[in-house]
Amino acid sequence: MTHHVTSVAGDRVGFDRDGEGPAVVFVAGAGPFRAVDPVTTETAARCAQQGLTAVVYDRLGRGDSPADGVLDLDRELSALHAVIDAAGAPAVLVGHSSGAALALCAADAELPVSGLVLWEAPLARSAEDTVAWITEFEQRLDAEDYVGALEQYMKDMPAEWLEGLRASPDFEQIARTSISQRADGQALVRATDLIEADLLRELAVPVLATYGTSTFDEMPVAARRIAGAVTRGTEREVAGADHTWDVGAMADQIVRFVRDET
């Protein structure tokens, strides 16, 4: 059953909650939401079966969290804060892709976070390159060129990913969800700045940076970069491919992390 919570910013956020125990909140990257992401839903269910409270929510502008206007990082963090409170603070955040950058920003902003498990955070690039990429994306988004914005956001991803979306009869509607990716881009900029300025040393929580057994070359580089930038950081290879984790392997990692590190 879908539950709802309203953030301080006034956004209504839809989420699923399962299990009883220490809280874990799954933070999606650019695009996914519960209805189209069975991997995360199944991972959360396995965590709940092993004694955790597992929460999966829809990011703003997606699924059961409809939102309009400028969906920036601060507004997204407000929504995440509300979800953490509903889950039972403090919570371990499990961030996927750019959701990992959002999780890092949440911890830096002193949301009630007890630890971070990050999957394939795209944080191997410099702040300068990241800013140039997101600036062009936001210019297209502000011009309501949603297709162009989506193309810019995905410009360095495998070409077949975008082509797969183009093949959908709902491509125009899919492209409009690029309004929800502004927060992703801003989170990547902020997280990269924190790493380069060596400010993540101030994080008191443990951080596990993971990547798949079959992945892009930059993902292990980013995991090492994150683990080396925090005081209590570890990097680890976990079964998975094509930017997606293996459900059983990731659930086991999350449960072990919660029990041993928090």
Side-chain angles (χ1 to χ4, degrees):
M1 180 181 71
T2 297
H3 303 275
H4 290 89
V5 67
T6 301
S7 73
V8 170
D11 292 305
R12 192 165 184 257
V13 185
F15 66 95
D16 292 326
R17 186 178 189 270
D18 191 15
E20 293 294 336
V24 173
V25 174
F26 290 81
V27 185
F33 54 98
R34 290 172 303 151
V36 297
D37 186 7
V39 170
T40 298
T41 297
E42 186 177 347
T43 306
R46 293 201 185 193
C47 288
Q49 291 165 5
Q50 298 184 66
L52 304 182
T53 295
V55 172
V56 183
Y57 75 104
D58 288 341
R59 295 266 311 276
L60 295 184
R62 308 176 194 174
D64 287 317
S65 301
D68 292 315
V70 177
L71 307 184
D72 60 13
L73 177 57
D74 289 342
R75 195 168 159 187
E76 191 69 59
L77 288 176
S78 178
L80 177 54
H81 198 163
V83 172
I84 292 171
D85 287 343
V92 167
L93 303 184
V94 180
H96 183 288
S97 191
S98 53
L102 182 58
L104 280 167
C105 292
D108 177 68
E110 299 185 347
L111 270 63
V113 173
S114 56
L116 304 177
V117 178
L118 310 178
W119 172 266
E120 298 202 344
L123 290 170
R125 294 185 176 182
S126 69
E128 182 180 4
D129 288 345
T130 307
V131 168
W133 160 73
I134 192 58
T135 297
E136 175 64 23
F137 165 79
E138 290 192 291
Q139 287 174 349
R140 297 184 186 190
L141 192 61
D142 291 339
E144 298 185 356
D145 176 12
Y146 302 119
V147 170
L150 182 62
E151 290 172 341
Q152 173 65 15
Y153 194 93
M154 299 183 68
K155 68 185 292 287
D156 295 319
M157 299 181 190
E160 59 268 23
W161 291 7
L162 180 58
E163 292 310 309
L165 294 179
R166 287 187 180 281
S168 170
D170 300 321
F171 177 64
E172 294 291 332
Q173 185 60 33
I174 292 171
R176 198 181 187 288
T177 63
S178 60
I179 66 169
S180 74
Q181 294 168 348
R182 187 190 302 268
D184 297 85
Q186 291 178 349
L188 288 165
V189 170
R190 184 176 297 182
T192 304
D193 282 340
L194 290 170
I195 290 171
E196 292 189 354
D198 202 27
L199 295 177
L200 290 177
R201 299 282 175 205
E202 300 175 9
L203 290 185
V205 301
V207 178
L208 174 62
T210 68
Y211 54 91
T213 46
S214 177
T215 189
F216 310 114
D217 291 342
E218 63 266 27
M219 293 307 174
V221 174
R224 286 192 293 272
R225 190 183 192 198
I226 294 166
V230 299
T231 301
R232 301 173 60 189
T234 306
E235 61 162 303
R236 186 168 300 151
E237 181 181 89
V238 178
D242 300 324
H243 208 34
T244 301
W245 62 60
D246 174 84
V247 169
M250 192 59 166
D252 288 346
Q253 289 291 332
I254 294 167
V255 172
R256 188 177 307 122
F257 178 85
V258 172
R259 291 175 177 169
D260 295 347
E261 300 294 338
T262 63

